[in-house]
Amino acid sequence: MIALQNLPFNFVEGLGFRRLIQEIAPRYNFRGRNFFTEFVCKELYGKIAIKVKEFIKKFDHMSFTSDIWSDPSSNASLLSLTCHGIASDFERLSIILKCETFDDRHTSDIIAEKFDTMLSKWNISNDQVHCMIRDEGSNMKRAMRLAKLQDLYCAVHKMQLAIRSSLN
């Protein structure tokens, strides 16, 4: 529920949630926010990361999608990296490797450094990167050159910009 609704961890400590759980599962042992931040985010993440690395090993080459988007109401920016691959048995898989706050300036140098860090964290070499799909931003174009990654612009992003422009 927390993940699907993008709720804060302290949601499980709220009166409404506790009453709901008490009604549908009276013997449930309540766990507080610390359980999720300490156990789920730390221990479970480590176990899942091992499985993700196993999936990635199935791919000789991978393509990636990435975006930086900003929420003007909260003044927060996010950077994402999603891996797409096809294994030798033709199993197609997409995995979100990273989605993090991006508090730095959106310069191509910083973006390239972030990509280098993200890929190396997952033991992915530049030789394994088939293509990085990105938006048309000049900072993203230059970041791909600096990171020495093969890249293409996202056609859907370009269509969205065209549609938005024509609607205005």
Side-chain angles (χ1 to χ4, degrees):
M1 179 186 271
I2 290 170
L4 289 174
Q5 297 300 126
N6 195 25
L7 299 170
F9 289 132
N10 67 357
F11 177 78
V12 299
E13 296 173 345
L15 181 62
F17 179 76
R18 289 186 168 274
R19 285 181 177 168
L20 172 68
I21 297 302
Q22 188 65 41
E23 185 65 33
I24 61 175
R27 295 188 307 177
Y28 177 74
N29 181 20
F30 280 98
R31 298 179 188 262
R33 166 181 60 84
N34 288 337
F35 170 78
F36 294 96
T37 57
E38 294 301 316
F39 174 73
V40 175
C41 288
K42 291 185 180 157
E43 286 189 39
L44 197 55
Y45 174 82
K47 292 176 184 176
I48 291 172
I50 290 168
K51 293 223 178 263
V52 168
K53 286 181 180 180
E54 289 173 12
F55 276 117
I56 290 173
K57 286 181 184 175
K58 292 181 178 182
F59 308 134
D60 292 330
H61 294 85
M62 294 158 267
S63 292
F64 296 87
T65 51
S66 182
D67 197 9
I68 300 173
W69 65 99
S70 300
D71 177 17
S73 64
S74 66
N75 212 16
S77 294
L78 296 172
L79 171 66
S80 68
L81 180 66
T82 305
C83 173
H84 309 273
I86 300 173
S88 58
D89 62 356
F90 295 102
E91 177 189 5
R92 183 183 170 276
L93 192 64
S94 293
I95 306 168
I96 299 171
L97 297 180
K98 192 72 172 176
C99 186
E100 67 179 26
T101 56
F102 191 71
D103 297 326
D104 300 311
R105 292 184 54 228
H106 297 183
T107 66
S108 51
D109 295 315
I110 294 171
I111 295 168
E113 184 179 310
K114 292 272 189 187
F115 281 117
D116 286 340
T117 302
M118 289 187 293
L119 292 172
S120 66
K121 178 174 174 57
W122 294 101
N123 301 323
I124 299 169
S125 69
N126 281 17
D127 295 339
Q128 293 175 287
V129 177
H130 177 257
C131 187
M132 180 73 73
I133 306 297
R134 47 133 182 97
D135 65 21
E136 274 289 294
S138 59
N139 57 346
M140 289 294 277
K141 288 180 189 178
R142 186 167 182 269
M144 295 306 116
R145 282 195 306 273
L146 291 172
K148 297 182 174 108
L149 297 170
Q150 192 78 324
D151 65 306
L152 292 170
Y153 68 85
C154 177
V156 174
H157 185 260
K158 206 167 206 171
M159 286 173 37
Q160 285 176 328
L161 292 175
I163 292 168
R164 187 177 300 139
S165 175
S166 67
L167 290 175
N168 288 337

